[in-house]
Amino acid sequence: MFLLCILLVPPLFAQYGTGTTMTREDQIGIAAPTWTGETGLFSTVTANTLHRGDFSFGIYAQNFRVIAGPARGLTPPSARPYKDYGYDRDVFSASAAFGLTDRWEVSGEMPFERLRGQGGDRAGFINGWFYQGRFSDSGIGDLHLATKFGLGAAGSGGSGAALSVFSDLPTGKKNSGISSGNGKYGVGFHWTGGIANLAASYAIVGKRNASRSNFPPGAVSDINLPNEIRLDGGLNIPQGWWRTTNWITEVNSVFYTGGDFKPKAPIFLVTGLRHWFGGSGWALNGGVRWNVGKFSYDNDQCRFTDLSDCGLGGLVGLSCAPVHMARLAPPPPAPAPVPPPPPPAPAPAPVPPPEAPPVTPPRVPTEIRTDEIHFDIGSARLTNIAKAILDDVALRMKQEPTSTAIVIGYTDNRENTGANADLDVRRAQAVKDYLVSRHGIDPSRITIEGRDAREPVGDNNTAEGRLKNRRVVIRLLLP
């Protein structure tokens, strides 16, 4: 996969990396996959969703320094006082996502995980599996599937909310701490407002069956695993010194509830950069991660030469998601040199002007009706009221077979940037598609155009005025 990216990315950058403009609002509103596949920051899932038909994918390599579940009384004899077992979790993941509508996306992520422990006199439980001493374990993890529904027009510097549903299918290595063999499922809520993002989710983890357990000896009972409450927050700050780079800072925390061996909650502080390669949609991600919870509990062996014992880890990734921005037009060609004027011709003999023919005024089409419909914020979807009006327009067009329609789409002044740059045309197209597909009107009789926010009929400083401006005007003409 990395080799494929190396082969594909340079020609894509060369083709799409130039010729686009990226404003601050563009940098805030463009989407990228998290390491788990959903649209968002590095780990924080935002309220943004892919547009209909859009596809994204990401490849990430990460390290987490975390603490295992307590195993007090099960550690080997040692002169050191008891401490819960700290270990490294390395995750190499590949993910993909697809936009079903402008506010509904689905995604999937498959990880390969490696668990490493260096404590010769320590022991602990990882995902219900008992480890002690120095160990290393690796294998495929659980497949993560998710879907997210947008509740508002997030992106392009706006604000909005979203709900998500997710499930980790038990596809991973079961006789280890990588997978319990039962998977988990949960729901999440996500909010985005400009550069700020908040998310919360709850996951039901279940248990590890005795048939897939190595504790107690003989595995005579199931082990109940704690459920997870995740709280995330992040800032997505565009950088003026490099106009296609975002500085991302996150706080990611996991709190455990219930279960037989509940580990201490990790609190990760993450900071890093996401650099977009022009308007290609490709982005390089990199950052450092610090587990403040682990460091505050166990930092006795923190050394500059062994930063993992300081709770430090990191991430690097390559992602691709569509960037909806208008491409700059090429510069006009230089004007051709103007030849010198020819010498003036001799003045002709005066000729009496011919008698002017009678002027016939051109025939002006007759406008027989004008209708207007309105739309929700950031949407090109027809409401039931709009469909009823269009049903009446279609009836009149069938009664007047020679009539034609001009359909003009508009937006308010907050919609015509970034991902919504073509929203006026999409609204007009939605009207045409409805008349053609629902009522069988000949598409050659319908002309569409978009005039964005240039001709407001309401005050854009009020919600009522902006509603009047989010409209489509249908003019019915007879030749």
Side-chain angles (χ1 to χ4, degrees), residues 135-442:
F135 75 91
S136 178
D137 214 342
S138 61
I140 296 295
D142 291 341
L143 173 64
H144 180 77
L145 300 178
T147 185
K148 183 167 52 169
F149 308 89
L151 304 178
S156 299
S159 62
L163 292 176
S164 66
V165 180
F166 58 90
S167 176
D168 288 1
L169 304 184
T171 59
K173 184 178 178 181
K174 299 175 177 59
N175 294 326
S176 71
I178 295 174
S179 175
S180 68
N182 282 326
K184 62 183 176 183
Y185 56 92
V187 296
F189 175 80
H190 316 276
W191 176 84
T192 295
I195 65 172
N197 300 274
L198 297 174
S201 64
Y202 182 78
I204 298 176
V205 180
K207 63 183 178 180
R208 175 180 286 276
N209 296 335
S211 60
R212 296 193 181 96
S213 177
N214 67 341
F215 183 88
V220 296
S221 63
D222 298 337
I223 294 179
N224 293 315
L225 302 178
N227 295 331
E228 299 175 356
I229 301 173
R230 294 183 175 267
L231 301 177
D232 301 293
L235 296 176
N236 184 25
I237 306 174
Q239 296 303 295
W241 52 271
W242 201 354
R243 65 176 185 172
T244 56
T245 297
N246 290 46
W247 176 28
I248 296 175
T249 298
E250 294 180 292
V251 178
N252 311 124
S253 57
V254 184
F255 299 94
Y256 300 98
T257 175
D260 295 330
F261 304 103
K262 182 169 61 176
K264 287 181 169 55
I267 301 176
F268 297 108
L269 299 183
V270 185
T271 187
L273 299 177
R274 171 173 286 159
H275 176 66
W276 296 91
F277 291 90
S280 66
W282 290 86
L284 186 63
N285 306 267
V288 293
R289 175 183 288 114
W290 183 31
N291 186 348
V292 180
K294 190 270 175 190
F295 179 81
S296 62
Y297 173 71
D298 182 11
N299 58 17
D300 297 341
Q301 299 185 32
C302 177
R303 301 289 187 274
F304 182 77
T305 56
D306 194 358
L307 296 179
S308 64
D309 280 323
C310 302
L312 288 175
L315 66 94
V316 64
L318 182 66
S319 59
C320 184
V323 179
H324 296 274
M325 294 187 301
R327 194 170 303 278
L328 288 176
V338 179
V351 177
E355 184 177 352
V359 177
T360 303
R363 178 173 179 81
V364 178
T366 303
E367 184 168 327
I368 58 177
R369 66 182 291 166
T370 300
D371 297 273
E372 185 171 298
I373 62 175
H374 298 87
F375 294 80
D376 293 333
I377 299 173
S379 173
R381 185 178 63 85
L382 297 174
T383 64
N384 292 335
I385 295 176
K387 292 178 180 179
I389 295 174
L390 295 179
D391 292 341
D392 192 39
V393 171
L395 178 61
R396 187 63 186 273
M397 293 186 75
K398 292 178 180 179
Q399 293 172 347
E400 301 285 352
T402 62
S403 64
T404 59
I406 299 177
V407 181
I408 308 171
Y410 297 87
T411 65
D412 65 40
N413 69 338
R414 298 186 180 183
E415 293 180 304
N416 60 343
T417 61
N420 287 326
D422 61 343
L423 184 56
D424 51 348
V425 176
R426 288 194 285 119
R427 285 173 172 168
Q429 186 65 47
V431 170
K432 180 176 180 178
D433 292 344
Y434 183 85
L435 293 174
V436 173
S437 62
R438 177 70 175 175
H439 293 284
I441 303 300
D442 186 351

